[in-house]
Amino acid sequence: MKTILCFFLLFSVGLSALGAAGGISQATVTLPYSELRGLLERAQAASDDRVPPKPPVDVWVQSANYVVDCTDLAAVSLQARFSVVNLSDAWQSVFLVKDSEGIRSLDPPDAKLVPMDGGMCLLLEPKAASTVTLGLQAAPVQRSQRGQLLADFMAVGAGQSTLELRHAEDPAAIIVTGAVAANREKTTFSLPASGGSVQVKLYAPEAMQPTQWQASAKHWIRDLGGVMQVSCHLRLNATDGGLTSRAQVRLASPASVNTVADFGRGGGVRDSIEMTAQGPILHLEWPHDEATTREVMIQYAVPIDLVAEQFAVPLVRVEGTKKTDSACYLSDFDGVEVTPAAGAWMPLGRLPDWMGASVRIEKLRYLTLSDTAALELSARPLPRVKTASATVETAEYVSELVAEGSRLHRAKLVIEHADAAEYRFVLPAGGKLLSSSINGRSMDPLLAEDGGLILNLPKGSGTHSKTTVGYVFTSKGPKMNPVEGRVSLELPRTPLFVHRLIWQLQLPSEYQATALEGNVVIDAGDAHGGSVRLSKQIYDDEAPVASLYYTRRDLER
């Protein structure tokens, strides 16, 4: 017999009095392998305290299969078969049908079906699975102008949900609402896994023809800078007993459809676009129901093409309509005066609620048309006044004079502009530029044809940029009188609008200013009159000029 020699380390106890601790620690035990394996398995099972994971749901409806037998229209029957699994360790209930349904049969007869929470629910024991078949009372056949209602029931959510339809009718005359797919013969349908209402209807051949619509379209036309955006609220009213689940909408080229959305009540609209040389055709589909009115919101774009000062706005047209009434609301167009090519604008009353409260009535033009494919407009471009590309926020100059007549001028300007612009300036006669910079970076100016200088200002990142321009230039004047006299100075001229000029004049130390003439004013002077601060507000295309009278400072002693 196979054995394994195992050494176990035994805990020592206080046996010092007996002197046996050393002997026990040297003991050995020999066990058969099978007994050792059993001991290890039992020890592992005792130490494993993990809880098995729980499923994310307690009950699973594996399948729900419905059978509607309408081979005999006088005795339509409905049968439902459900496969359900209880995944939990407790009793569970699962909703199968509404409590308003009449249950004719139950298989197996001992299935625990009870009324709960507004429906008939199946009770399941812990970890149990069950398959039940219910014979239900089909909806009484209802005949109307829009067809016969053969079955009307609520399908439950299930992993697999199907409808089998037994009939002897033309498949084109049968409409099942609530299904997501069907075979060509319309005998097998797939139902949504989430469940929902299901109706089976039989239509007479004449009822399968589309209705003749009467259409009302309200267009809101806006200029988005070279492109018109048109929002159209389309309302369709049925005028006969035909199908109201389809409509065809046409737009003339070059319109392009952006979005289609349901408006108001009713089932969801499905749309598809067919492109033709004449323009897009919009195919609209709704669920087959008793609705006689459909409403959708269509948004499309049209490029503005001014030809001989005219352009056209394509309007929504519906195929097979008795009449289409169109109302047009036109917002202001940028730089263009728009008038109807025929007729005149009409008085505007209350705006439709869907246009929103932010729309100002005084900014809208209004016109109504009937059975018209396009709104023809005349457009007269309005003359546009060009605004200043840049303005000088502040201009600071410091001018130093020496007795021999030389002058040194330092300039610092803060210029505000939206896009890339240019700063033009003309130096005084005889002036010589020494240096120039933009935002502290040295930059050589361009020479204009008139002899002026040009510095190109870069475009900034914001809506309004500010650029700092600096330059230094010299000029020459007559030698200052040793006793008293007058000195004339001039700053560069720029066509830009200047908000504020600050001009600091520094006379030689032995002179003081006594009076001023020119197109600037004195702000302040020092105690001895040698430094004078001048200013000028709000001007453009004008050279600041100052004639300063001076005397020697020591003449007053």
Side-chain angles (χ1 to χ4, degrees), residues 74 79 184 210 227 266 305 309 319 357 426 457 504 520 542:
Q79 180 178 287
R184 180 177 298 179
V227 176
D305 185 15
E309 297 188 352
E319 290 290 321
V426 179
L457 309 179
Q504 192 80 26
V520 293
E542 181 182 5

Side-chain angles (χ1 to χ4, degrees), residues 385-392 416-419 421 464 495-497 540:
V385 177
K386 187 176 181 180
T387 60
S389 60
T391 59
V392 179
E416 186 176 18
H417 54 99
D419 298 311
H464 290 280
L496 297 184
F497 180 84
D540 63 350

Side-chain angles (χ1 to χ4, degrees), residues 17 39 58 80 112 149-150 160 184 199 228 232 255 267 284 287 318 331 356 375 401 406 428 449 464 500 522:
L39 289 173
D58 294 328
K112 301 175 180 63
L149 177 64
L150 304 181
Q160 180 193 33
R184 180 177 298 179
Q199 288 187 339
M228 289 180 289
C232 175
L284 305 178
V318 181
S331 295
L375 171 63
L401 288 73
S406 298
E449 293 182 357
H464 290 280
R500 187 183 182 204
I522 296 178

